[in-house]
Amino acid sequence: MLNMTIDLDHVSRLANLELTEEERKILPEQMEKIIDWVGQLSRLQVTEEEKYTPVNFSLRLEEDEVRESLPQEEALAMAPEKSGDYIKVPRVLQGK
Amino acid sequence: MKLIELGLVEMVRVVKEGEVRATEIVEDYIARIEKEDKEIRAYLTYSFDRALRRAREIDLKKDKGKLAGAVIAIKDNIVTRGIRTTCASRILENFNPPYNATVVDRLEAEDAVIIGKTNLDEFAMGSSTENSGFFPTRNPWDKGRVPGGSSGGSAAAVAGLEAVAALGSDTGGSVRQPAAFCGLVGLKPTYGLVSRYGLVAFASSLDQIGPLARSVEDCALITSIIAGFDPRDSTSSPLPVPDYLAESGIPLPNFRVGVLDVSSLTGVKEEVVRNYQDVLRMIAGLGIEMQKLDLPSWEYALPCYYVIAPSEASSNLARYDGVRYGFRAESSELSDMYLRTRTRGFGREVKRRILLGTFALSSGYYEAYYARAAKVRQAILREFVEAFKKVDFILTPTTPEPAFRLGEKQDPISMYLQDYFTVAANLAGIPGLSVPSGFSTDHLPLGLQVLGRSFAESELFKFAFLLEKNLNLKNNRYGINTRGRRKNEN
């Protein structure tokens, strides 16, 4: 297995997370240890070509029929910010 | 005898036969919780008013359901309409779900009463309930110790007589390990037996909802109610569900039990090994045929799990972005709002797992980690399939040690090792049941895990019932035996 150092800045960017000062101190070493530990997976002789699938009965399709679903009002009730029937978010594009 | 000491099956009987009103039971439990929970802190949210309202309705009903008057606690990662559901995370601190999980609907349809929502490790990630974003829960057996996790609040509630039974969720051992730590019976059902609709997703290919109870028959009764096909969960199985309780007393025909050589395992405490060997001797004494198993891929189950579970979690938890519900951090710009919301809303262990999963799925590493783990997982499944050609059940200790002290495990890997015996069942999708098997030298409960073939819950209950009867344990600290009747104090 690859034995490379984890680029935490890159990974945290991908995960949409920012690290605190304290996390910056402790996380790199912890993550290295965990990744090193899971690295032992490469030692098991695996002949499997197949990957695991959790369900082995055939999935059924839904009938195409109209049914009651969550009313819009209730779906919107938990939104942090609303404007009429819409969820409101900060602006998408950064203005100068 | 106090009402709160009644087991579930007995409690339902007295309510149905009109000997006791559901309202009396709920009032007794509320009094108990108000007294005990200041210290134990099993619950994040109480739903006393709603419980009393429900109890009054049940008392007026002529035809009462199969769980009439059963006071049940629900892990706070299972959504409840009108009762706050937080996953013990700041990011969902004020989330009030607009719908019920299927399991909650099914319990209430049989006249169970939901008394509150229990504490957990944030998003079910942990083995001690210390990762809760709010506060830790204490083990009723020894308040300086953890109740296990992640369903630690549910286990502490049932062991502390603050509920007659509870629901938890089990992704890598989160029902079975706290059941063992608190002297309870806990089931991780076969993947697909119980609907996951309304269970907040952690690792979707591993998660299952399961009950924690004071006896095998109580556990069997709840399982019968919550199991079965649900059109709202595409992974739920269409197989018919037997009446586990009615079947649990029927003796099993000839069967064989597979056992492991646990004495050679590092990290397993000596008293756990001793207890396991004692139980095996007892089983041999019953004339049950045993066979030593060699499961070489077992050793890889834990690292396999710690690639698969964080990978799925990193994807599932991407939905917490502050847009539609939950916590939102103030910001003038969208992408910055996402970043601040997640950074401030998630706790440390959740972040650690999201980062680990993001890494394992990232370009350049996917084949080496995730794809590799998916193949190892298949190898583990194949090994189980082979083993179950030779034996009907596999027995292991549930945990490598009894309940540990709060704050004792600081290093993440030492905490992950808690799941040593339990994760393989989640990886292979098979059912696992933990039953109380004795006590440590400090008089802390120990658990025995029984693994079986997929959808063989009925056989698991039958075997567990036999074990429970022969181990003859008082399974909680209040001296109530496993059948719900008080035994003489000795």
Side-chain angles (χ1 to χ4, degrees), chain B residues 438-452:
Chain B
F439 295 96
S440 72
T441 41
D442 294 333
H443 205 72
L444 295 166
L446 298 169
L448 177 79
Q449 178 180 238
V450 189
L451 301 172

mmCIF file with all atom_site columns, all heavy atoms in Angstrom, chain B residues 438-452:
data_model
loop_
_atom_site.group_PDB
_atom_site.id
_atom_site.type_symbol
_atom_site.label_atom_id
_atom_site.label_alt_id
_atom_site.label_comp_id
_atom_site.label_asym_id
_atom_site.label_entity_id
_atom_site.label_seq_id
_atom_site.pdbx_PDB_ins_code
_atom_site.Cartn_x
_atom_site.Cartn_y
_atom_site.Cartn_z
_atom_site.occupancy
_atom_site.B_iso_or_equiv
_atom_site.pdbx_formal_charge
_atom_site.auth_seq_id
_atom_site.auth_comp_id
_atom_site.auth_asym_id
_atom_site.auth_atom_id
_atom_site.pdbx_PDB_model_num
ATOM 1   N N   . GLY B 1 438 ? -21.791 -12.656 32.712 1.00 0.00 ? 438 GLY B N   1
ATOM 2   C CA  . GLY B 1 438 ? -21.108 -12.743 33.999 1.00 0.00 ? 438 GLY B CA  1
ATOM 3   C C   . GLY B 1 438 ? -20.570 -11.393 34.415 1.00 0.00 ? 438 GLY B C   1
ATOM 4   O O   . GLY B 1 438 ? -20.970 -10.367 33.869 1.00 0.00 ? 438 GLY B O   1
ATOM 5   N N   . PHE B 1 439 ? -19.634 -11.434 35.354 1.00 0.00 ? 439 PHE B N   1
ATOM 6   C CA  . PHE B 1 439 ? -19.122 -10.190 35.912 1.00 0.00 ? 439 PHE B CA  1
ATOM 7   C C   . PHE B 1 439 ? -17.603 -10.206 35.995 1.00 0.00 ? 439 PHE B C   1
ATOM 8   O O   . PHE B 1 439 ? -16.985 -11.256 36.128 1.00 0.00 ? 439 PHE B O   1
ATOM 9   C CB  . PHE B 1 439 ? -19.698 -9.969  37.312 1.00 0.00 ? 439 PHE B CB  1
ATOM 10  C CG  . PHE B 1 439 ? -21.187 -9.775  37.305 1.00 0.00 ? 439 PHE B CG  1
ATOM 11  C CD1 . PHE B 1 439 ? -22.036 -10.848 37.555 1.00 0.00 ? 439 PHE B CD1 1
ATOM 12  C CD2 . PHE B 1 439 ? -21.728 -8.536  37.013 1.00 0.00 ? 439 PHE B CD2 1
ATOM 13  C CE1 . PHE B 1 439 ? -23.416 -10.675 37.531 1.00 0.00 ? 439 PHE B CE1 1
ATOM 14  C CE2 . PHE B 1 439 ? -23.106 -8.351  36.986 1.00 0.00 ? 439 PHE B CE2 1
ATOM 15  C CZ  . PHE B 1 439 ? -23.955 -9.422  37.244 1.00 0.00 ? 439 PHE B CZ  1
ATOM 16  N N   . SER B 1 440 ? -17.035 -9.011  35.928 1.00 0.00 ? 440 SER B N   1
ATOM 17  C CA  . SER B 1 440 ? -15.596 -8.859  36.113 1.00 0.00 ? 440 SER B CA  1
ATOM 18  C C   . SER B 1 440 ? -15.290 -8.905  37.616 1.00 0.00 ? 440 SER B C   1
ATOM 19  O O   . SER B 1 440 ? -16.203 -8.934  38.440 1.00 0.00 ? 440 SER B O   1
ATOM 20  C CB  . SER B 1 440 ? -15.137 -7.514  35.547 1.00 0.00 ? 440 SER B CB  1
ATOM 21  O OG  . SER B 1 440 ? -15.577 -6.469  36.396 1.00 0.00 ? 440 SER B OG  1
ATOM 22  N N   . THR B 1 441 ? -14.007 -8.866  37.960 1.00 0.00 ? 441 THR B N   1
ATOM 23  C CA  . THR B 1 441 ? -13.633 -8.892  39.377 1.00 0.00 ? 441 THR B CA  1
ATOM 24  C C   . THR B 1 441 ? -14.169 -7.654  40.109 1.00 0.00 ? 441 THR B C   1
ATOM 25  O O   . THR B 1 441 ? -14.430 -7.700  41.303 1.00 0.00 ? 441 THR B O   1
ATOM 26  C CB  . THR B 1 441 ? -12.105 -8.979  39.536 1.00 0.00 ? 441 THR B CB  1
ATOM 27  O OG1 . THR B 1 441 ? -11.516 -8.113  38.572 1.00 0.00 ? 441 THR B OG1 1
ATOM 28  C CG2 . THR B 1 441 ? -11.605 -10.390 39.306 1.00 0.00 ? 441 THR B CG2 1
ATOM 29  N N   . ASP B 1 442 ? -14.347 -6.542  39.388 1.00 0.00 ? 442 ASP B N   1
ATOM 30  C CA  . ASP B 1 442 ? -14.932 -5.335  39.997 1.00 0.00 ? 442 ASP B CA  1
ATOM 31  C C   . ASP B 1 442 ? -16.459 -5.342  39.953 1.00 0.00 ? 442 ASP B C   1
ATOM 32  O O   . ASP B 1 442 ? -17.079 -4.305  40.134 1.00 0.00 ? 442 ASP B O   1
ATOM 33  C CB  . ASP B 1 442 ? -14.449 -4.071  39.256 1.00 0.00 ? 442 ASP B CB  1
ATOM 34  C CG  . ASP B 1 442 ? -12.967 -3.850  39.419 1.00 0.00 ? 442 ASP B CG  1
ATOM 35  O OD1 . ASP B 1 442 ? -12.420 -4.307  40.440 1.00 0.00 ? 442 ASP B OD1 1
ATOM 36  O OD2 . ASP B 1 442 ? -12.361 -3.221  38.528 1.00 0.00 ? 442 ASP B OD2 1
ATOM 37  N N   . HIS B 1 443 ? -17.039 -6.463  39.665 1.00 0.00 ? 443 HIS B N   1
ATOM 38  C CA  . HIS B 1 443 ? -18.483 -6.614  39.535 1.00 0.00 ? 443 HIS B CA  1
ATOM 39  C C   . HIS B 1 443 ? -19.083 -5.710  38.450 1.00 0.00 ? 443 HIS B C   1
ATOM 40  O O   . HIS B 1 443 ? -20.132 -5.086  38.622 1.00 0.00 ? 443 HIS B O   1
ATOM 41  C CB  . HIS B 1 443 ? -19.207 -6.404  40.868 1.00 0.00 ? 443 HIS B CB  1
ATOM 42  C CG  . HIS B 1 443 ? -20.534 -7.113  40.889 1.00 0.00 ? 443 HIS B CG  1
ATOM 43  N ND1 . HIS B 1 443 ? -20.644 -8.491  40.979 1.00 0.00 ? 443 HIS B ND1 1
ATOM 44  C CD2 . HIS B 1 443 ? -21.794 -6.636  40.781 1.00 0.00 ? 443 HIS B CD2 1
ATOM 45  C CE1 . HIS B 1 443 ? -21.921 -8.807  40.936 1.00 0.00 ? 443 HIS B CE1 1
ATOM 46  N NE2 . HIS B 1 443 ? -22.646 -7.716  40.810 1.00 0.00 ? 443 HIS B NE2 1
ATOM 47  N N   . LEU B 1 444 ? -18.388 -5.642  37.329 1.00 0.00 ? 444 LEU B N   1
ATOM 48  C CA  . LEU B 1 444 ? -18.939 -4.962  36.160 1.00 0.00 ? 444 LEU B CA  1
ATOM 49  C C   . LEU B 1 444 ? -19.447 -6.036  35.202 1.00 0.00 ? 444 LEU B C   1
ATOM 50  O O   . LEU B 1 444 ? -18.851 -7.113  35.107 1.00 0.00 ? 444 LEU B O   1
ATOM 51  C CB  . LEU B 1 444 ? -17.851 -4.142  35.465 1.00 0.00 ? 444 LEU B CB  1
ATOM 52  C CG  . LEU B 1 444 ? -17.300 -2.979  36.285 1.00 0.00 ? 444 LEU B CG  1
ATOM 53  C CD1 . LEU B 1 444 ? -16.014 -2.465  35.672 1.00 0.00 ? 444 LEU B CD1 1
ATOM 54  C CD2 . LEU B 1 444 ? -18.336 -1.862  36.386 1.00 0.00 ? 444 LEU B CD2 1
ATOM 55  N N   . PRO B 1 445 ? -20.550 -5.758  34.497 1.00 0.00 ? 445 PRO B N   1
ATOM 56  C CA  . PRO B 1 445 ? -21.101 -6.785  33.614 1.00 0.00 ? 445 PRO B CA  1
ATOM 57  C C   . PRO B 1 445 ? -20.193 -7.097  32.421 1.00 0.00 ? 445 PRO B C   1
ATOM 58  O O   . PRO B 1 445 ? -19.492 -6.233  31.922 1.00 0.00 ? 445 PRO B O   1
ATOM 59  C CB  . PRO B 1 445 ? -22.422 -6.169  33.127 1.00 0.00 ? 445 PRO B CB  1
ATOM 60  C CG  . PRO B 1 445 ? -22.452 -4.773  33.589 1.00 0.00 ? 445 PRO B CG  1
ATOM 61  C CD  . PRO B 1 445 ? -21.338 -4.524  34.536 1.00 0.00 ? 445 PRO B CD  1
ATOM 62  N N   . LEU B 1 446 ? -20.255 -8.345  31.982 1.00 0.00 ? 446 LEU B N   1
ATOM 63  C CA  . LEU B 1 446 ? -19.555 -8.775  30.770 1.00 0.00 ? 446 LEU B CA  1
ATOM 64  C C   . LEU B 1 446 ? -20.595 -9.330  29.810 1.00 0.00 ? 446 LEU B C   1
ATOM 65  O O   . LEU B 1 446 ? -21.660 -9.780  30.233 1.00 0.00 ? 446 LEU B O   1
ATOM 66  C CB  . LEU B 1 446 ? -18.531 -9.859  31.106 1.00 0.00 ? 446 LEU B CB  1
ATOM 67  C CG  . LEU B 1 446 ? -17.396 -9.467  32.052 1.00 0.00 ? 446 LEU B CG  1
ATOM 68  C CD1 . LEU B 1 446 ? -16.620 -10.702 32.508 1.00 0.00 ? 446 LEU B CD1 1
ATOM 69  C CD2 . LEU B 1 446 ? -16.463 -8.463  31.388 1.00 0.00 ? 446 LEU B CD2 1
ATOM 70  N N   . GLY B 1 447 ? -20.271 -9.315  28.523 1.00 0.00 ? 447 GLY B N   1
ATOM 71  C CA  . GLY B 1 447 ? -21.229 -9.789  27.530 1.00 0.00 ? 447 GLY B CA  1
ATOM 72  C C   . GLY B 1 447 ? -20.653 -10.853 26.618 1.00 0.00 ? 447 GLY B C   1
ATOM 73  O O   . GLY B 1 447 ? -19.446 -10.902 26.371 1.00 0.00 ? 447 GLY B O   1
ATOM 74  N N   . LEU B 1 448 ? -21.544 -11.723 26.154 1.00 0.00 ? 448 LEU B N   1
ATOM 75  C CA  . LEU B 1 448 ? -21.178 -12.752 25.190 1.00 0.00 ? 448 LEU B CA  1
ATOM 76  C C   . LEU B 1 448 ? -21.893 -12.431 23.885 1.00 0.00 ? 448 LEU B C   1
ATOM 77  O O   . LEU B 1 448 ? -23.087 -12.131 23.885 1.00 0.00 ? 448 LEU B O   1
ATOM 78  C CB  . LEU B 1 448 ? -21.644 -14.118 25.701 1.00 0.00 ? 448 LEU B CB  1
ATOM 79  C CG  . LEU B 1 448 ? -21.406 -15.299 24.763 1.00 0.00 ? 448 LEU B CG  1
ATOM 80  C CD1 . LEU B 1 448 ? -19.940 -15.736 24.843 1.00 0.00 ? 448 LEU B CD1 1
ATOM 81  C CD2 . LEU B 1 448 ? -22.310 -16.471 25.123 1.00 0.00 ? 448 LEU B CD2 1
ATOM 82  N N   . GLN B 1 449 ? -21.151 -12.469 22.784 1.00 0.00 ? 449 GLN B N   1
ATOM 83  C CA  . GLN B 1 449 ? -21.764 -12.193 21.493 1.00 0.00 ? 449 GLN B CA  1
ATOM 84  C C   . GLN B 1 449 ? -22.090 -13.496 20.764 1.00 0.00 ? 449 GLN B C   1
ATOM 85  O O   . GLN B 1 449 ? -21.254 -14.394 20.676 1.00 0.00 ? 449 GLN B O   1
ATOM 86  C CB  . GLN B 1 449 ? -20.827 -11.348 20.632 1.00 0.00 ? 449 GLN B CB  1
ATOM 87  C CG  . GLN B 1 449 ? -21.397 -11.072 19.248 1.00 0.00 ? 449 GLN B CG  1
ATOM 88  C CD  . GLN B 1 449 ? -20.494 -10.231 18.374 1.00 0.00 ? 449 GLN B CD  1
ATOM 89  O OE1 . GLN B 1 449 ? -20.884 -9.182  17.905 1.00 0.00 ? 449 GLN B OE1 1
ATOM 90  N NE2 . GLN B 1 449 ? -19.278 -10.691 18.143 1.00 0.00 ? 449 GLN B NE2 1
ATOM 91  N N   . VAL B 1 450 ? -23.318 -13.582 20.247 1.00 0.00 ? 450 VAL B N   1
ATOM 92  C CA  . VAL B 1 450 ? -23.735 -14.726 19.444 1.00 0.00 ? 450 VAL B CA  1
ATOM 93  C C   . VAL B 1 450 ? -23.968 -14.223 18.019 1.00 0.00 ? 450 VAL B C   1
ATOM 94  O O   . VAL B 1 450 ? -24.807 -13.350 17.795 1.00 0.00 ? 450 VAL B O   1
ATOM 95  C CB  . VAL B 1 450 ? -25.047 -15.353 19.966 1.00 0.00 ? 450 VAL B CB  1
ATOM 96  C CG1 . VAL B 1 450 ? -25.332 -16.667 19.252 1.00 0.00 ? 450 VAL B CG1 1
ATOM 97  C CG2 . VAL B 1 450 ? -25.014 -15.550 21.468 1.00 0.00 ? 450 VAL B CG2 1
ATOM 98  N N   . LEU B 1 451 ? -23.213 -14.762 17.064 1.00 0.00 ? 451 LEU B N   1
ATOM 99  C CA  . LEU B 1 451 ? -23.395 -14.399 15.663 1.00 0.00 ? 451 LEU B CA  1
ATOM 100 C C   . LEU B 1 451 ? -24.116 -15.536 14.949 1.00 0.00 ? 451 LEU B C   1
ATOM 101 O O   . LEU B 1 451 ? -23.903 -16.705 15.258 1.00 0.00 ? 451 LEU B O   1
ATOM 102 C CB  . LEU B 1 451 ? -22.039 -14.168 14.987 1.00 0.00 ? 451 LEU B CB  1
ATOM 103 C CG  . LEU B 1 451 ? -21.145 -13.066 15.585 1.00 0.00 ? 451 LEU B CG  1
ATOM 104 C CD1 . LEU B 1 451 ? -19.769 -13.089 14.949 1.00 0.00 ? 451 LEU B CD1 1
ATOM 105 C CD2 . LEU B 1 451 ? -21.793 -11.703 15.412 1.00 0.00 ? 451 LEU B CD2 1
ATOM 106 N N   . GLY B 1 452 ? -24.961 -15.187 14.006 1.00 0.00 ? 452 GLY B N   1
ATOM 107 C CA  . GLY B 1 452 ? -25.682 -16.218 13.270 1.00 0.00 ? 452 GLY B CA  1
ATOM 108 C C   . GLY B 1 452 ? -25.768 -15.890 11.786 1.00 0.00 ? 452 GLY B C   1
ATOM 109 O O   . GLY B 1 452 ? -25.261 -14.868 11.331 1.00 0.00 ? 452 GLY B O   1
#
